[in-house]
Amino acid sequence: MNRDDLTDLNAFVAVAEEKSFTRAATRLGTSQPALSNTLRRLEARLGVRLLTRTTRSVTLTPAGEEFLQGLKPAFAAINLSLEAIGSLRQSPKGKIRITAPRHAAISLLWPMLRSFVKDYPDIEVDVNIDAAARDLTGDRFDAGIRLGELVAQNMVAVRIGPDLRLAIVASPGYFAQRGIPITPHDLLRQTCINFRLPASGELYAWQFKKADQEVKVRVPGQLSFNDPDMILAAALDGRGIACLIEDHAHAMIRDGRLVRVLEDWCPLFPGYHIYYPTQKNNSAAFRILIERLRFRGR
């Protein structure tokens, strides 16, 4: 196998994974026509059709699918060797892609990155803000950040922040008009602001616990959002009761713009963790980032 063969095979893998000549060309830093010619040359040399092309999509033929599965272990081994060599560098280098919800990115990731990028100028960090769970391997992320209880068991999870609590809040004006709920079930007679889960599209059922009592309440309300900042804005405007992570609303509770209720029904729960596949071969750059994020207590 010569150098051109390896380039052609890498082009095929990129198109197969991206399912698009446009995205694959961007990934490889080449033009779409040049990439298309490369794939045609590869198919001609192999004497078999690997891709089915339409104006809107690119799909693998059965032969292409079989070929891709055969190539993946080989390219994984090459990447492992490259990462191993890279780890021997005196100055760590590489690109790390992370997906994280906005709250975790602002409260935990960015405070670390401010000094990290100065200390390691050869390490690129690409952060995708997304509250939904992502397929790390399929979407080519190195790691994700989620609440500890939501991380899949087949992932390596490293705690990066303290335990959290929920805060049930509304504006003083709202409570003056509607009264203060004493128990979670009192919320059924209130107007609440719902959170729509990004992954499933379902409305979040508010969860409460006090001693040995656990309660889930599907609250009524005119408004629902899939973004906590919008929920906070609606609560500040007196549109209903909101359920938010405590430190998201802390400043507004402290200065009296929001009033907190049902506090004794909101226990601590596991905070944010960074997670990644167990089979991932961690580069020196990745290991350094994990250690910088690792939570070491207050």
Side-chain angles (χ1 to χ4, degrees):
M1 178 185 293
N2 59 37
R3 181 176 177 181
D4 288 340
D5 290 331
L6 190 58
T7 299
D8 292 353
L9 294 177
N10 187 45
F12 166 70
V13 171
V15 173
E17 290 181 343
E18 297 291 347
K19 299 180 177 62
S20 163
F21 276 95
T22 301
R23 290 194 297 270
T26 301
R27 170 175 162 181
L28 296 172
T30 188
S31 67
Q32 186 176 338
L35 183 58
S36 182
N37 288 335
T38 298
L39 267 296
R40 288 195 180 92
R41 183 175 66 236
L42 177 62
E43 290 176 321
R45 189 163 70 250
L46 295 176
V48 64
R49 191 174 183 183
L50 301 173
L51 303 168
T52 299
R53 305 165 176 83
T54 69
T55 56
R56 294 187 178 181
S57 66
V58 178
T59 57
L60 292 171
T61 64
E65 183 64 43
E66 184 177 348
F67 192 44
L68 176 65
Q69 296 308 314
L71 288 175
K72 277 185 174 180
F75 273 91
I78 292 172
N79 287 330
L80 289 179
S81 297
L82 291 173
E83 288 184 358
I85 290 296
S87 68
L88 299 177
R89 289 172 50 96
Q90 215 169 21
S91 177
K93 181 179 181 180
K95 183 174 183 177
I96 303 170
R97 298 192 72 227
I98 301 171
T99 178
R102 182 181 304 277
H103 179 254
I106 292 174
S107 63
L108 296 172
L109 187 56
W110 176 241
M112 182 280 294
L113 286 177
R114 292 175 67 183
S115 59
F116 184 87
V117 294
K118 293 180 181 178
D119 295 341
Y120 301 99
D122 292 329
I123 300 177
E124 296 180 42
V125 184
D126 183 347
V127 180
N128 176 75
I129 303 300
D130 194 338
R134 299 293 294 269
D135 176 1
L136 297 186
T137 302
D139 294 334
R140 302 198 319 279
F141 286 107
D142 295 294
I145 296 176
R146 298 193 79 192
L147 294 174
E149 60 192 19
L150 301 179
V151 176
Q153 292 185 353
N154 64 342
M155 293 284 175
V156 178
V158 176
R159 185 181 181 189
I160 64 171
D163 288 342
L164 300 173
R165 295 179 73 192
L166 293 177
I168 310 303
V169 296
S171 69
Y174 173 87
F175 283 134
Q177 289 184 341
R178 299 293 301 274
I180 293 178
I182 305 301
T183 72
H185 290 296
D186 292 342
L187 294 170
L188 295 173
R189 296 185 292 274
Q190 299 280 346
T191 297
C192 299
I193 306 163
N194 272 295
F195 176 60
R196 190 168 296 281
L197 297 167
S200 66
E202 297 179 355
L203 294 180
Y204 170 69
W206 295 15
Q207 301 180 46
F208 300 93
K209 184 175 181 180
K210 184 177 182 180
D212 59 350
Q213 300 180 69
E214 293 189 25
V215 179
K216 278 188 178 183
V217 182
R218 295 199 174 275
V219 298
Q222 184 181 9
L223 295 172
S224 61
F225 301 99
N226 66 350
D227 180 76
D229 288 335
M230 287 298 299
I231 293 174
L232 178 61
L236 288 168
D237 202 43
R239 302 302 175 179
I241 301 176
C243 177
L244 295 162
I245 290 178
E246 182 179 50
D247 65 348
H248 201 171
H250 176 72
M252 294 76 175
I253 296 171
R254 185 182 57 205
D255 65 21
R257 284 182 289 165
L258 291 176
V259 175
R260 185 173 189 174
V261 297
L262 301 174
E263 187 171 354
D264 56 340
W265 281 92
C266 298
L268 293 168
F269 59 89
Y272 290 111
H273 290 59
I274 189 167
Y275 65 98
Y276 52 92
T278 55
Q279 70 272 21
K280 179 175 174 59
N281 181 58
N282 299 332
S283 66
F286 186 80
R287 291 196 300 272
I288 291 169
L289 181 136
I290 294 295
E291 287 306 310
R292 291 286 283 263
L293 277 173
R294 187 185 296 274
F295 179 69
R296 305 182 191 280
R298 294 192 182 279

